[in-house]
Amino acid sequence: AVREDRAVQFTSSSGALLLLGAQEAGPSPEPQRAAIEAVVRAEMAEHGMPGVALAVRREREWLLVAGYGLARVVPPTPVTRDTRFQIASLTKPVTASVILGLAAGDRLAIDDLAREHLPWLPATYAAVRIRHLLNHTSGVPRDLRADNLDDFDRAGFRERLDRAEPAFEPGSAFQYANTGYILLGFLAEAVQGEAYGSILERLVLDPLGMPSTPYVSPPSDDPLCAVGYELRDGVFHPAPYYSGGFTGGGMSSSVADLARWVEALEDGRLLREAEWKEMHSSGRLADGGEVRFDFGGEEAGYGMGWFLARRAGRPLWTHGGAVSGFAGSIHRYPEDELCVIVLANAKSAGADAVARRVADLLLE
């Protein structure tokens, strides 16, 4: 694993880190593209992001798939559409699509008890169903790590799970849980009898042509592998590496690959209609009520891998992700046929800010 030891001064006033501009931009009309790029540059400076990758889809056409700034500060290496970023919890919608694909293939049923496939699961979770894990209503602990700042192997995960107390009875409440999505990956492996990386390649990556999406991939000296950074006292420092947590947050990807995945999902090529509807319908609790919670000041639900929110009166299907040195966000506005994908090599609110501001620009 290679990380640069040197740090570079962040000089937003001079725009030194932004001079590379867009790499491999798409067919968006020039005035529109200029406005989008102005948003990207402003948020990069505001939030201290060395590099950003952006994809924008409107009415089934990709307006822009581009990179901005630097994937590596030393030596200066531009972000391109194929630059790989750790995507953290953006892994979750992909994991949900794999599980729903296995359900479509009759390899499992989403109402199966999890212990049918994972007999080692503690008896306290005997009533947990796959649906509960997908909807974050299982009651498994929210996370078994310390603020996303440590890693464990499989044995360590199981040890921590055995010691942890359940948060609530399955189906009785909603609590976003990285632990549940890690269990979904182990469950897929048990059903298929193969490593999750192989399942992902066979069911998603190879069919969709996603060559830049490794599963749990430590940093390397490949120039297409972005370095994650922390901005401290005006200086970019390479951030320590943490895997992000198996199928809860362990994937890396490029904006071009995620664009291919979103396109297949939205065009109905990834899931059958029944599973697609399950993914985009809010989960239900044992009392029959829908999953509802506060999401940035608005009431929202959660489907299977997506927050189902509203913004400016419009339905918004979204997910974000953040891990040491990286952040990402996907915003999908189904009624407007608009999707914005943002990846950044800094753990900040900047990726989500870019997604929101670009969407606002196009929805005005």
Side-chain angles (χ1 to χ4, degrees):
V2 175
R3 293 280 192 183
E4 294 96 328
D5 292 327
R6 289 186 286 169
V8 170
Q9 185 72 29
F10 175 63
T11 52
S12 59
S13 59
S14 69
L17 296 181
L18 308 181
L19 293 177
L20 291 166
Q23 301 292 322
E24 305 174 35
S28 179
E30 286 302 320
Q32 188 177 70
R33 183 162 66 191
I36 291 171
E37 291 178 353
V39 165
V40 174
R41 288 184 169 84
E43 296 300 333
M44 288 173 68
E46 173 70 21
H47 293 280
M49 298 182 291
V52 165
L54 171 69
V56 182
R57 190 180 198 226
R58 186 76 186 269
E59 296 176 349
R60 296 177 178 265
E61 178 184 0
W62 290 102
L63 305 181
L64 191 65
V65 181
Y68 302 85
L70 298 174
R72 291 169 176 262
V73 172
V74 180
T77 307
V79 176
T80 75
R81 61 196 298 163
D82 297 313
T83 298
R84 297 189 302 277
F85 299 74
Q86 283 185 253
I87 65 170
S89 283
L90 291 183
T91 300
K92 290 181 174 68
V94 180
T95 299
S97 73
V98 169
I99 296 297
L100 290 170
L102 293 176
D106 295 323
R107 299 296 297 162
L108 54 81
I110 60 174
D111 285 311
D112 285 350
L113 292 168
R115 284 187 96 208
E116 291 179 25
H117 305 287
L118 300 176
W120 51 262
L121 201 60
T124 47
Y125 303 112
V128 170
R129 298 185 183 276
I130 295 174
R131 179 185 296 277
H132 294 141
L133 297 172
L134 288 163
N135 289 148
H136 292 303
T137 58
S138 66
V140 299
R142 185 185 188 284
D143 209 330
L144 298 174
R145 298 165 299 166
D147 297 324
N148 254 0
L149 297 180
D150 69 353
D151 273 320
F152 40 53
D153 58 15
R154 291 163 182 265
F157 172 84
R158 288 178 58 173
E159 266 179 35
R160 296 186 194 192
L161 185 62
D162 285 342
R163 295 196 306 264
E165 292 293 324
F168 49 80
E169 289 293 317
S172 65
F174 171 88
Q175 177 181 260
Y176 183 86
N178 290 313
T179 304
Y181 267 72
I182 292 172
L183 287 170
L184 287 169
F186 294 157
L187 194 146
E189 291 181 332
V191 166
Q192 290 296 97
E194 60 183 313
Y196 184 81
S198 298
I199 299 170
L200 185 65
E201 286 180 10
R202 185 166 49 79
L203 297 185
V204 179
L205 306 184
D206 290 347
L208 299 184
M210 297 171 62
S212 300
T213 305
Y215 174 61
V216 189
S217 177
S220 74
D221 58 4
D222 182 346
L224 287 177
C225 179
V227 171
Y229 290 97
E230 298 172 342
L231 184 62
R232 300 194 303 271
D233 299 323
V235 177
F236 280 124
H237 298 267
Y241 168 74
Y242 298 102
S243 72
F246 296 103
T247 45
M251 289 173 59
S252 297
S253 192
S254 68
V255 76
D257 273 14
L258 288 178
R260 295 180 182 102
W261 180 81
V262 166
E263 181 176 308
L265 179 65
E266 294 188 342
D267 293 353
R269 293 184 284 115
L270 192 61
L271 298 174
R272 297 185 312 187
E273 184 178 1
E275 284 75 27
W276 193 93
K277 286 182 176 178
E278 288 275 15
M279 174 176 266
H280 300 98
S281 299
S282 192
R284 291 196 172 272
L285 302 176
D287 63 6
E290 277 192 10
V291 166
R292 308 301 291 171
F293 54 93
D294 180 78
F295 185 76
E298 297 269 355
E299 190 178 56
Y302 194 92
M304 296 180 175
W306 295 103
F307 290 95
L308 308 177
R310 296 188 70 83
R311 186 161 180 267
R314 292 176 161 92
L316 168 63
W317 300 342
T318 184
H319 214 291
V323 71
S324 176
F326 294 94
S329 190
I330 300 178
H331 285 210
R332 300 166 59 207
Y333 292 84
E335 291 185 355
D336 299 278
E337 294 188 281
L338 173 66
C339 176
V340 182
I341 307 169
V342 183
L343 302 177
N345 56 347
K347 184 181 179 181
S348 75
D352 195 63
V354 170
R356 284 187 282 105
R357 286 192 59 193
V358 169
D360 289 345
L361 190 67
L362 294 173
L363 293 172
E364 285 177 354

